[in-house]
Amino acid sequence: MKQQLFNELVLEEQRPFSKWDYSYLKETQRMVQFPLIWKFPQVIKPYLRDGECLVQMNRLDETDWASFTSLSKRTVALETKEDHLLKTRQPLNNLGIKVVFGDEGALLPFENETFDVMINRNQRFQVDEVSRVLRENGYFITQQIGGLSNGELNVWLNVEPTSYSNWRLQVAVEQLKESGFTIIEVKEDISKTRFYDIGAIVYYLKTMTEQIPDFSVEKCFDRLVTMKKVMDEEGHLDVTRHRFLIVAKKETNENME
């Protein structure tokens, strides 16, 4: 029985995955994420106002991108993963959106004070770089994955917490304030992601490389067996889903004095 389970989980681990697309799990309701208390596209729209917009790409569908082109004067998308660049460039070019590649964690490939709005969804950011590429009175709008997310999985599998386990709303707010931003809006949502079988967790973890960087079925199999027994008894396993939202405004030099 254990060998059969091992083979099944390895198949889940090896299943192809396309950029944040969890439809494989969600369409069969093997994984359910409780909805956030905000709708990110609705948060963004009031701030576009025919300005120039930079979007750090992550989990945005074609409808979201179409709204940017209709509301902003110019939209540029920043892609940080080379293997996704070819897939995303042509569809967005067809919408009139320029796609630019930039290494994750590196300096942004733009001149100073290029954009009126910068939108960041679930991607790390450097506050100094955000400030540099925004014009005075520009807006930074970000939804972040908080450090509490999925922490139970690390405990279950007996591995170290994630490198971003201390990433919190207040930490991000303080960073922005120290760089001369005024905080316009903040929200935080702590809910649950529910998994209904152990294979769904394996598939999820192999895509979330920051959660457990060296995760593999082979390394974690004994702990996965223990998790499966609990899930079989309870019918599911819940882990924390932690997100926070910030809208911040870059003040003019005069206001910062």
Side-chain angles (χ1 to χ4, degrees), residues 55-77:
V55 183
Q56 288 186 280
M57 299 173 65
N58 202 336
R59 305 189 192 187
L60 295 171
D61 61 28
E62 195 166 308
T63 302
D64 296 328
W65 289 113
S67 70
F68 295 143
T69 58
S70 64
L71 294 170
S72 63
K73 182 167 60 178
R74 180 174 74 102
T75 302
V76 176

Side-chain angles (χ1 to χ4, degrees), residues 1-244:
M1 290 294 291
K2 276 195 173 185
Q3 186 61 48
Q4 181 181 346
L5 176 62
F6 179 84
N7 293 340
E8 290 174 356
L9 295 184
V10 168
L11 287 176
E12 294 286 5
E13 185 179 24
Q14 294 174 346
R15 185 174 292 273
F17 175 74
S18 177
K19 194 184 180 186
W20 304 113
D21 181 8
Y22 292 105
S23 57
Y24 167 65
L25 299 180
K26 290 182 177 179
E27 287 174 359
T28 54
Q29 295 192 333
R30 297 172 66 196
M31 178 183 85
V32 176
Q33 291 182 312
F34 289 35
L36 297 177
I37 60 175
W38 62 82
K39 294 289 187 182
F40 195 60
Q42 297 303 316
V43 173
I44 295 166
K45 287 178 181 179
Y47 295 95
L48 295 179
R49 298 176 186 154
D50 199 34
E52 301 202 48
C53 179
L54 169 64
V55 183
Q56 288 186 280
M57 299 173 65
N58 202 336
R59 305 189 192 187
L60 295 171
D61 61 28
E62 195 166 308
T63 302
D64 296 328
W65 289 113
S67 70
F68 295 143
T69 58
S70 64
L71 294 170
S72 63
K73 182 167 60 178
R74 180 174 74 102
T75 302
V76 176
L78 180 67
E79 176 59 82
T80 58
K81 298 186 183 300
E82 285 189 272
D83 56 333
H84 296 150
L85 193 61
L86 292 177
K87 298 177 185 178
T88 54
R89 176 173 279 159
Q90 192 57 53
L92 293 184
N93 285 170
N94 292 341
L95 291 171
I97 297 172
K98 182 180 179 181
V99 181
V100 176
F101 176 75
D103 289 327
E104 194 166 11
L107 300 182
L108 297 173
F110 305 106
E111 299 293 328
N112 294 351
E113 300 187 356
T114 301
F115 299 100
D116 301 295
V117 180
M118 181 174 173
I119 295 166
N120 170 302
R121 189 174 188 178
N122 297 346
Q123 297 223 7
R124 297 287 171 254
F125 62 88
Q126 297 182 53
V127 177
D128 290 346
E129 280 296 281
V130 174
S131 180
R132 183 182 66 79
V133 302
L134 275 179
R135 294 175 179 140
E136 290 185 353
N137 296 314
Y139 290 94
F140 177 56
I141 307 168
T142 183
Q143 175 182 300
Q144 290 286 300
I145 299 174
L148 299 177
S149 283
N150 304 320
E152 296 90 343
L153 294 177
N154 296 64
V155 174
W156 272 108
L157 296 174
N158 195 28
V159 297
E160 292 295 318
T162 66
S163 60
Y164 60 89
S165 59
N166 292 320
W167 186 229
R168 301 286 195 275
L169 172 62
Q170 194 56 41
V171 173
V173 164
E174 289 304 316
Q175 288 182 4
L176 288 162
K177 285 182 175 179
E178 288 172 4
S179 293
F181 284 83
T182 295
I183 306 303
I184 305 299
E185 180 180 0
V186 295
K187 290 182 179 179
E188 187 168 31
D189 188 287
I190 299 176
S191 57
K192 297 293 181 182
T193 298
R194 176 166 292 179
F195 297 95
Y196 289 96
D197 66 84
I198 193 64
I201 291 178
V202 167
Y203 180 85
Y204 182 77
L205 278 175
K206 73 87 177 267
T207 68
M208 298 289 289
T209 54
E210 288 187 352
Q211 192 70 38
I212 304 178
D214 60 348
F215 171 78
S216 73
V217 170
E218 184 175 5
K219 289 180 180 179
C220 300
F221 184 64
D222 289 342
R223 303 291 295 187
L224 290 168
V225 170
T226 301
M227 291 173 70
K228 182 181 184 302
K229 290 178 181 177
V230 173
M231 295 179 75
D232 288 345
E233 292 174 3
E234 299 292 331
H236 64 270
L237 188 144
D238 288 344
V239 301
T240 301
R241 186 185 190 210
H242 180 201
R243 301 289 186 272
F244 59 84

